[in-house]
Amino acid sequence: MRLEILPVLGIGDVTEGDDLAELIGNAAPWLRDGDVLVVTSKIVSKAEGRLVDVPADGPERVAARDEVLAAETARVVATRGATRIVQTHHGFVMAAAGIDASNVAKTQLVLLPRDPDASARALRTALRERYDVDVAVVVSDTMGRPWRNGLTDVALGVAGMAALRDHRGEVDPYGNELSLTQMAVVDELAGAAELVKGKCDQVPVAVVRGYLGAQRDGDGAGAATLVRDAALDLFSLGTAEATAAGLRAAATLTDRPGATPPDPAAVARAITAVAEAVAPGTTFTLVTDEEVRARLVATLPDWPAGATALVLGAPAGPAHPANLIRFGADLHRLRAALAAESVPSVLLPPPAGSTAGAVLAL
Amino acid sequence: MRLEILPVLGIGDVTEGDDLAELIGNAAPWLRDGDVLVVTSKIVSKAEGRLVDVPADGPERVAARDEVLAAETARVVATRGATRIVQTHHGFVMAAAGIDASNVAKTQLVLLPRDPDASARALRTALRERYDVDVAVVVSDTMGRPWRNGLTDVALGVAGMAALRDHRGEVDPYGNELSLTQMAVVDELAGAAELVKGKCDQVPVAVVRGYLGAQRDGDGAGAATLVRDAALDLFSLGTAEATAAGLRAAATLTDRPGATPPDPAAVARAITAVAEAVAPGTTFTLVTDEEVRARLVATLPDWPAGATALVLGAPAGPAHPANLIRFGADLHRLRAALAAESVPSVLLPPPAGSTAGAVLAL
């Protein structure tokens, strides 16, 4: 097996209403069945009229661009300075929702195609019907990524082949099962095509020949299958945004006893974490003796059944209001530290007659 | 310009001490000046003896693997269940530090090459000296990424070409400057090679022909230039880890006045955030009248110069200790919500004689 990657030259400038199948069919009469046609999303967007008029410069341009970005954004993932990483309505996580101001007039912005999988399918169908050639089509765009400098081209849409190549269940020559390997081959195809497109000015289309062979399939589920559900993603939010979410969670902790007794090591870590922050002399006692616990719980009418007790003692001294306020703040510090260890808690009023301490139900 | 991607067949199993240059030079006598040789890191690791003996199964295997992983880890980035995303000592962020149990005996694990750029340089030099061929060498591996399903091959090491292709400063046909575009072409080359390698069993090496042409350069800075400094990365920590860090930050908030007056809108957002969580009747007053502020500040000896005052009123009622403790906890809730808005605060003791409120210096 060998691959060739061929630029499609002579496509020229694409404008709204252009017929991409005709432009490509005429520029590449040498297209063959089984070729993978990789098309830069920008010319798809332009042909589909996904352009917005904006002022060429000044604060009006910034304001207009912000408005366009908001409309293209399903969810803000991370921001820093002027950078906005967002999840688009398609599910892609991209800087500025993939809105682009390059290779377009200064008074226009290019949006991503509305449905890149549909764009790929339509182009594939048109090429088959009008040029009698059965190709796969990848609609590509350039994206950054966490942890690594530099951008790469990846797929926004695909038709005529599966986005992923699945090695799961295969066994290597040593008998180890390849349990986790699904390769995002359409992203690799998009990147391979960029190697040719990026080095030729004005080459928005390239062909990968030799990859598909007999493995062609129908339109499949498209590049939409590449979108990972945010709930399954370990990096669904930027670090700063998630840290702020943690601070907000601390601000709004609810009273909730744990479903199971807490790990004493986790409680100990939480106590250690706040030791320097609380008033000197504050004491922390995780009640493990069942008899002591039963006696304590008997004084607390609202005790959640089955909860573990953590007793906090205020520093010795007169119960001055300022000291009690500080003690209350320190209690909440500990509750936040416990929450960081995934230990929920309930703050109970101190036992009747006591002014020197408080009890958390864990 | 056209590229070809060619598999190097017949390399067979690689074991410790094998001479990779000889294996590749003999398997691909057709190598030419300007080719890019993409070598799977696993055979580099095997040849370099980066193997660790572990039990074939059972808890002993898990424990041994955990120990190896800890040694390969510079920093834990995210964990969920058994998944460990870590930054390696090289700076790469990868699941399980790139440790691999496939294509190796069941009693061994393969570690990443110790210095993949050096491995690439050594292989390049050996091929030039012994086979008189001037190629670039990419050492590749398979990685997952946030937000997108499926894995792709990327570069761990490179010699004989730059890792990034820089379009910054170029101007498009519309006169827009391409300000941000540095393409990670070695990652695209690694992915392109995978398309050939992944479909042929046991093909750990492929050649990309036609890319380098006249653009060959020296060994450059290697793939190390692809490693983004964690301090510059918007996703330096997993979302759960960063959220826990925010909870810990709330637990350990320090008294720190802001350098500049806070944005009143940010203060209002913080107040709104805690409104449901604090005791009913608690009041929040951001003092904006200069005269009122001066009178208040005169009662507070520790007032930080220039700070803005936020006055909190406890709910009306007797100053029962339980109420004061609750008020203190609610104060800390507000401080955490302010911190989430990047508004630092100082908790001051209530003015002498007052038991009904507290003051935060912002």
Side-chain angles (χ1 to χ4, degrees), chain B residues 184-200:
Chain B
V185 288
V186 284
D187 285 346
E188 294 180 325
L189 286 162
E194 196 282 323
L195 292 167
V196 162
K197 294 191 289 184
K199 295 187 74 164
C200 309

Side-chain angles (χ1 to χ4, degrees), chain B:
Chain B
M1 169 189 206
R2 65 196 288 155
L3 305 185
E4 286 179 288
I5 310 179
L6 311 164
V8 176
L9 302 173
I11 293 209
D13 203 21
V14 174
T15 55
E16 183 165 357
D18 277 351
D19 181 338
L20 276 191
E22 186 177 308
L23 290 175
I24 293 168
N26 290 344
W30 42 265
L31 271 180
R32 284 191 210 151
D33 288 354
D35 283 348
V36 180
L37 187 71
V38 182
V39 184
T40 302
S41 76
K42 187 169 299 171
I43 66 166
V44 175
S45 295
K46 284 176 157 185
E48 293 178 354
R50 291 279 287 162
L51 296 159
V52 180
D53 293 320
V54 292
D57 48 32
E60 296 80 9
R61 180 182 173 89
V62 174
R65 191 174 172 286
D66 284 351
E67 200 174 312
V68 173
L69 175 52
E72 294 293 298
T73 297
R75 184 175 77 85
V76 176
V77 173
T79 67
R80 185 186 286 177
T83 302
R84 296 270 173 289
I85 314 283
V86 308
Q87 187 159 29
T88 68
H89 298 293
H90 322 85
F92 301 122
V93 177
M94 300 177 73
I99 298 166
D100 203 339
S102 66
N103 286 296
V104 67
K106 282 178 188 291
T107 56
Q108 290 193 307
L109 298 174
V110 187
L111 313 183
L112 295 188
R114 201 177 297 276
D115 181 346
D117 282 325
S119 302
R121 285 194 300 272
L123 180 54
R124 178 175 185 239
T125 302
L127 288 168
R128 198 174 45 206
E129 290 178 354
R130 288 152 52 191
Y131 293 86
D132 194 28
V133 65
D134 186 9
V135 299
V137 174
V138 175
V139 175
S140 71
D141 206 344
T142 305
M143 288 192 199
R145 60 264 168 95
W147 315 325
R148 291 175 77 78
N149 291 319
L151 314 176
T152 61
D153 269 22
V154 296
L156 298 183
V158 62
M161 62 175 290
L164 295 162
R165 178 171 150 83
D166 204 333
H167 295 277
R168 290 178 302 180
E170 292 176 20
V171 174
D172 73 20
Y174 297 83
N176 304 296
E177 192 174 327
L178 303 175
S179 56
L180 282 172
T181 308
Q182 277 192 307
M183 298 302 297
V185 288
V186 284
D187 285 346
E188 294 180 325
L189 286 162
E194 196 282 323
L195 292 167
V196 162
K197 294 191 289 184
K199 295 187 74 164
C200 309
D201 280 348
Q202 292 283 82
V203 176
V205 182
V207 169
V208 181
R209 174 164 292 168
Y211 181 72
L212 275 188
Q215 303 217 15
R216 262 174 299 168
D217 66 12
D219 284 338
T225 54
L226 296 177
V227 173
R228 186 180 295 141
D229 188 331
L232 300 176
D233 201 299
L234 299 183
F235 299 89
S236 57
L237 267 186
T239 301
E241 287 72 16
T243 305
L247 285 161
R248 274 193 298 274
T252 56
L253 283 180
T254 52
D255 283 321
R256 186 164 68 86
T260 53
D263 173 7
V267 175
R269 282 195 299 272
I271 290 172
T272 302
V274 299
E276 299 280 305
V278 301
T282 307
T283 59
F284 305 90
T285 314
L286 182 63
V287 176
T288 51
D289 184 286
E290 188 47 43
E291 228 176 282
V292 176
R293 184 176 159 283
R295 233 180 307 141
L296 180 73
V297 166
T299 68
L300 297 163
D302 298 327
W303 188 258
T308 301
L310 177 60
V311 180
L312 283 88
H320 188 280
N323 295 345
L324 288 168
I325 289 173
R326 170 72 193 267
F327 184 58
D330 289 347
L331 266 171
H332 201 76
R333 287 181 187 270
L334 180 63
R335 294 189 68 192
L338 287 163
E341 299 286 346
S342 303
V343 177
S345 60
V346 182
L347 174 60
L348 293 167
S354 152
T355 59
V359 179
L360 293 182
L362 306 183

Side-chain angles (χ1 to χ4, degrees), chain A residues 3-9 36-42 100 102-103 138-145 149-155 185-209, chain B residues 1-3 5 161-168 170 178 180-193 195 208 210-212 215 226:
Chain A
L3 304 185
E4 285 180 288
I5 309 180
L6 311 163
V8 176
L9 302 173
V36 179
L37 188 71
V38 182
V39 184
T40 302
S41 75
K42 188 169 300 169
D100 202 338
S102 68
N103 286 298
V138 174
V139 175
S140 70
D141 206 342
T142 305
M143 289 191 199
R145 60 264 169 94
N149 291 318
L151 312 176
T152 60
D153 270 21
V154 297
V185 288
V186 284
D187 285 345
E188 294 180 326
L189 286 162
E194 196 282 322
L195 293 167
V196 162
K197 295 191 290 184
K199 295 188 78 165
C200 310
D201 282 348
Q202 293 284 82
V203 176
V205 182
V207 169
V208 182
R209 174 164 293 168
Chain B
M1 169 189 206
R2 65 196 288 155
L3 305 185
I5 310 179
M161 62 175 290
L164 295 162
R165 178 171 150 83
D166 204 333
H167 295 277
R168 290 178 302 180
E170 292 176 20
L178 303 175
L180 282 172
T181 308
Q182 277 192 307
M183 298 302 297
V185 288
V186 284
D187 285 346
E188 294 180 325
L189 286 162
L195 292 167
V208 181
Y211 181 72
L212 275 188
Q215 303 217 15
L226 296 177

Side-chain angles (χ1 to χ4, degrees), chain A residues 155-182:
Chain A
L156 298 183
V158 63
M161 63 177 288
L164 295 164
R165 179 171 149 82
D166 205 332
H167 295 277
R168 290 178 302 182
E170 292 176 21
V171 174
D172 74 21
Y174 295 85
N176 304 296
E177 193 175 326
L178 303 175
S179 56
L180 282 172
T181 309
Q182 277 191 307

Side-chain angles (χ1 to χ4, degrees), chain A residues 27 49 94 134 255 330 338 344 348 356:
Chain A
M94 299 177 73
D134 186 8
D255 283 321
D330 289 347
L338 287 163
L348 293 168

